[in-house]
Amino acid sequence: MKIASIVALGAMVAAGGAEAATKPTIALVHGAFENAQVWQGVTAQLKADGYTVIAPDLPGRPGNPATPDKVSLDLYRDTVIKAIDKSKTPVVLVGHSFGGIVISDVAEAAPKKVRTLVYLAAYLPKDGESLMSLAQTDADAKIGPHLVIDKEHGVASIERSARADLFANDAPDAVKKMIPDQIIDEPLAPLATPVKLTAAAFGSVDKVYVHTSLDQVVSPSLQARMVAGTPVRSETTLKTGHTPFITDVPGLVKTIEEAASHK
């Protein structure tokens, strides 16, 4: 092989390494009634594609235990900020469902740590809104009649018989049978806490929305209305229910990577 060819090959390898090195870290924030395990398939594919992935458990669940009276939206926010502090560059921050409230709070507190916010079937709040205030306007959602509020213990839960069809209505029957055991109780307080957002901080961060057209938890109509109220740079629609990380891992990974590639 000629010296020039060797040099050219070396340059190509170096360029490929440089490209890989510029891939942003992707942080995945789960929603209510979930933990970080929901991201396993997505995490594996993103890592295989060369991304560094962070997927913290929010407090108040088995992977990060805390009693409901100790759990707050501020604690959720601070948990995510601590997790993404490991990244030397701004992260692509993906929030599923209630995770949209959390990542919005993170962006308000630490906008320079976030490259892009990706809302996946997520609540996209305006200043002063909470999951509860948004959910109460969602007449097309099916979750309301199956939501069980236990004020004495400070938790919310979903009726077991409704869990599969609510969260994974597009899944095969074999998968649906496993869903009820994966849904966990959720501390109440963060769900009702309004998030405080400003144009200077939250408003300055790049945003993408991933719609889920078969969703029965955060209805397509509410998703569209939230995006109309808080415009985003781009929108994508997955033909799934509320949990595409279960029913369409390839499509979701492609969508996240497209958001991550934006400069």
Side-chain angles (χ1 to χ4, degrees):
M1 182 180 290
K2 295 182 179 179
I3 295 295
S5 298
I6 295 174
V7 171
L9 179 59
M12 291 172 61
V13 171
E19 181 181 356
T22 63
K23 287 186 175 181
T25 294
I26 297 175
L28 306 170
V29 180
H30 64 77
F33 310 108
E34 304 168 349
N35 59 22
Q37 291 184 354
V38 300
W39 298 115
Q40 285 181 339
V42 172
T43 296
Q45 187 58 61
L46 288 172
K47 287 183 174 179
D49 291 343
Y51 289 90
T52 298
V53 181
I54 299 169
D57 269 318
L58 297 178
R61 54 213 79 229
N64 190 356
T67 56
D69 61 302
K70 302 297 183 184
V71 176
S72 66
L73 183 59
D74 284 353
L75 182 60
Y76 284 175
R77 175 200 65 206
D78 294 345
T79 298
V80 175
I81 290 175
K82 182 179 180 181
I84 66 177
D85 269 342
K86 300 173 185 177
S87 176
K88 296 180 180 179
T89 57
V91 304
V92 174
L93 190 55
V94 182
H96 175 244
S97 196
F98 173 62
I101 302 286
V102 179
I103 66 173
S104 299
D105 206 12
V106 170
E108 175 65 26
K112 292 184 179 179
K113 294 182 181 294
V114 182
R115 173 170 168 162
T116 297
L117 295 170
V118 180
Y119 291 85
L120 170 61
Y123 292 97
L124 172 54
K126 292 185 286 189
D127 180 47
E129 293 182 328
S130 67
L131 177 146
M132 287 295 190
S133 72
L134 285 166
Q136 287 169 357
T137 71
D138 194 359
D140 295 327
K142 307 299 183 185
I143 191 171
H146 307 288
L147 186 64
V148 180
I149 304 298
D150 183 351
K151 292 184 178 179
E152 181 181 355
H153 296 97
V155 297
S157 60
I158 305 295
E159 289 178 354
R160 185 176 179 86
S161 61
R163 293 175 178 180
D165 283 335
L166 281 173
F167 284 84
N169 51 309
D170 56 321
D173 288 343
V175 174
K176 283 185 178 180
K177 289 179 181 178
M178 298 186 287
I179 297 297
D181 290 333
Q182 309 306 313
I183 304 298
I184 62 179
D185 291 350
E186 183 70 23
L188 272 175
L191 304 181
T193 303
V195 65
K196 298 179 181 178
L197 304 173
T198 64
F202 170 72
S204 70
V205 180
D206 182 54
K207 301 173 185 69
V208 170
Y209 200 97
V210 184
H211 297 264
T212 40
S213 64
L214 305 178
D215 206 313
Q216 299 196 61
V217 176
V218 181
S219 74
S221 60
L222 177 60
Q223 293 178 25
R225 185 152 40 90
M226 290 186 293
V227 171
T230 303
V232 300
R233 169 175 55 82
S234 69
E235 301 174 61
T236 303
T237 298
L238 299 175
K239 192 176 180 180
T240 71
H242 195 55
T243 54
F245 41 75
I246 294 174
T247 59
D248 188 11
V249 171
L252 178 54
V253 168
K254 178 183 178 183
T255 298
I256 293 172
E257 291 183 352
E258 286 173 352
S261 67
H262 177 74
K263 296 181 180 179

